[in-house]
Amino acid sequence: MARLILATAEGTQSVDLRPMNSLGRHPNNSIQLLDKIVSKEHCHIELRDGHWILRDLGSLNGTYINGERIQGERQLRHGDEIALGATRARFDDGSTQLPSRPVPGPLSPGVVQQPAAGGYQPGATPTNQGIPNPYGGYPQPPPQQGGSGRMPAVPQTPMGNVAPQTAVSGGQRPQPNAPPGTMMSGQAPGQATRLVEVQDQQRAIGTQIAAVQKGFLPFDQIASDGAAVRDDYERLRIAYEVTRDLAGERDADQVLTKILAACFKFVRADRGVIFLNQNDQLVPACNRRRTGGEAPVVVSSTILEHVKTTRSAVLTNDAAMDFAASKGKSMILNRISSAMVVPLIHNESLLGVLWLDSEQLAVFSQKELEMVNALSYQGAMFLENALLGRKVAAEIITRERFSRLLSPNLAAKVIAGELDVKQGGDQLPDCTVFNSDIRGFTRMSDGTAPQEIVDMLNEYFELMVDVLFKFEGTLDKFMGDGIMALFGAPVPHPDDPIRSVRAALEMMDVLGTLNRSRIARSEAPLAIGIGIHTGPLVAGYIGSPKALSYTVIGDTVNTSARLCGIAEAGQIIVSESTVARLGNRFELAELPPAKLKGKERPLRVYDVKAERGVSRASVATPAATKAAPPA
């Protein structure tokens, strides 16, 4: 089978040729060359009438066969040496074993190639040899003259004999043809650049290399595979270190910082960011630069959206080309060459996305991706615990805050997000305001120890608030010995006026029980008056962001307070507007029209006696009425 033997920074790679092959930088090519000088689609190699034809596609830096730049097409012969940018290859038609001579190594950045000694090459003059390359440091071939030039000869750096190797497919890499630990010639110290990527399927955007979580196989299946054992050991070591560092951490911000720090220990990333998924939006929560500093890290929304949507990792070693079809200009503008982006998933929930990138090409390997993927699963578990702890703490505070204002069922809705209570006011066309206070409280306080007054109010308020919440009223505030409550805000009910009157009647019953207990303790009984009015008002949170209070404002509030003020001990006075919404449910006694402060005309008012069909067990006792005249 015909093949190309390519020289890369990791040694030689053998690629079996198909009847039609495209070579270039773009990921859609069947053979992707991670080489900055190579065009997006540089050339084609195809089998035509039994012959292998190489066709240059008008690439800027040209395609060379045996040192000569070709124009259009050229038939390949066994052993031909091909040069595309900084990539070198040899053609093998599969008929015989190629002679044992090296494939020229890839050009290294910063090297200026000179013409072969003793020979003059057309177009290679002293003024244009080794022209600086605008594509990032690689040398570019000299310009042509007369239509057919020859590229400078490449120094024959020995790479060892070329031996047949397994064809590369699916992004896998063969091992260099050298003993372990030997650095191949043409490879700079510390360099891990991969110059070829062979694709068996046309790649969709963002799937430069799909991340597949590698599982742990039984030991007896890998015992003879030293590399697999070492890889599994390394993954376990990293998982252990992450567990040790994060196990006792409860602060979510510290968890994020430690996850990034762990990644930087074994991945050669220049920048890193962790995004948290908040209301289906990825929000940056932590960033890190290898060089330090607080400057924000700019990333590609194209890659982020792909990872968020597919919940699969992306490894790209040439981001500008891999995402060219999506118009990912940010990869170029922000100098993102290599990127590794992994979702943070726990229990099927996307908690966020981990982003690592570098300005250099081909920095990250598949092994590193597997490591980061394993770390992301481990880190996501601890992040979920930390976020859950933060959520529980916030819910405790919220529950305590709302449980003092709302009935338990309404408080639960607010905490669950089903009820939105926000700063600012909303105009309500119809709301019922309830006011009550203790008659004779001022006189009662004279000569009584303050602690006794506090104990008495606490006992009284606890009973009254229980009744209020039973009918789903909202506690607005305590005013000395008075209670102000709402029926219809923040959650309205069609029968709010009825609820308010029923609550008032039950409060009178509960107060009777309390008074019997107080008399038994030789304490003075209590008597209250209640005023209820229905009408439009503004309801909402009022105050500063540090101290908010849910309340209502408007004439309806003032009228309710005025009605409470004229109510005698044991009376429940309701306005005409409230009565209009009660139907025939209660026994009412109309009182003389009330002249209220701020009102031009007297207001029709009614005294609620009882709920039809329901007997009131007791009201404020006569003793309470006599002992506690209106304040």
Side-chain angles (χ1 to χ4, degrees), residues 438-441 443-444 508 511-512 515-516 519 523-529 567-571 616 618-631:
I438 298 175
R439 294 292 172 255
F441 180 76
R443 182 177 300 178
M444 184 185 302
M508 290 296 185
L511 181 62
N515 281 335
R516 288 191 290 272
I519 292 172
E523 296 173 346
L526 305 177
I528 63 173
E568 297 180 358
Q571 265 191 335
R616 293 171 60 183
S618 62
V619 224
T621 63
T625 304
K626 294 178 182 178

Side-chain angles (χ1 to χ4, degrees), residues 299-480:
V299 303
S300 163
S301 59
T302 304
I303 299 179
L304 277 183
E305 188 60 30
H306 175 83
V307 173
K308 174 187 170 184
T309 303
T310 64
R311 297 193 174 195
S312 60
V314 166
L315 171 60
T316 171
N317 277 316
D318 191 354
M321 285 297 99
D322 291 345
F323 292 87
S326 68
K327 301 179 181 179
K329 297 179 181 178
S330 60
M331 271 78 79
I332 299 173
L333 296 177
N334 298 304
R335 302 170 67 185
I336 301 171
S337 293
S338 301
M340 183 156 35
V341 191
V342 179
L344 297 173
I345 298 175
H346 182 65
N347 289 338
E348 305 301 323
S349 296
L350 180 69
L351 303 182
V353 172
L354 168 62
W355 171 288
L356 300 168
D357 72 34
S358 174
E359 296 179 3
Q360 302 178 28
L361 283 171
V363 167
F364 306 126
S365 67
Q366 180 72 21
K367 176 184 176 182
E368 290 171 332
L369 179 61
E370 292 174 359
M371 295 287 189
V372 173
N373 225 0
L375 188 150
S376 71
Y377 280 101
Q378 192 84 356
M381 178 181 67
F382 291 108
L383 178 60
E384 171 74 4
N385 291 339
L387 293 175
L388 182 60
R390 178 188 290 180
K391 182 179 179 180
V392 169
E395 284 191 359
I396 291 174
I397 296 173
T398 304
R399 187 178 295 275
E400 289 180 351
R401 180 181 301 164
F402 284 109
S403 63
R404 299 174 185 179
L405 300 174
L406 308 174
S407 59
N409 58 329
L410 293 183
K413 289 182 179 180
V414 172
I415 295 168
E418 299 174 9
L419 177 61
D420 184 19
V421 180
K422 58 186 178 181
Q423 185 177 8
D426 295 322
Q427 181 75 39
L428 302 181
D430 201 51
C431 182
T432 300
V433 182
F434 170 104
N435 274 276
S436 72
D437 61 16
I438 298 175
R439 294 292 172 255
F441 180 76
T442 302
R443 182 177 300 178
M444 184 185 302
S445 300
D446 291 341
T448 306
Q451 187 60 49
E452 291 182 21
I453 296 297
V454 170
D455 292 342
M456 180 269 293
L457 288 176
N458 284 338
E459 182 182 27
Y460 165 74
F461 283 145
E462 183 176 356
L463 294 172
M464 298 300 106
V465 170
D466 284 345
V467 174
L468 176 66
F469 285 171
K470 174 182 177 180
F471 291 93
E472 298 191 45
T474 299
L475 175 64
D476 184 285
K477 62 175 71 71
F478 296 117
M479 302 171 292

Side-chain angles (χ1 to χ4, degrees), residues 549-567:
S549 176
Y550 188 80
T551 188
V552 290
I553 295 176
D555 181 67
T556 300
V557 181
N558 299 332
T559 302
S560 173
R562 301 281 188 270
L563 293 178
C564 178
I566 66 172

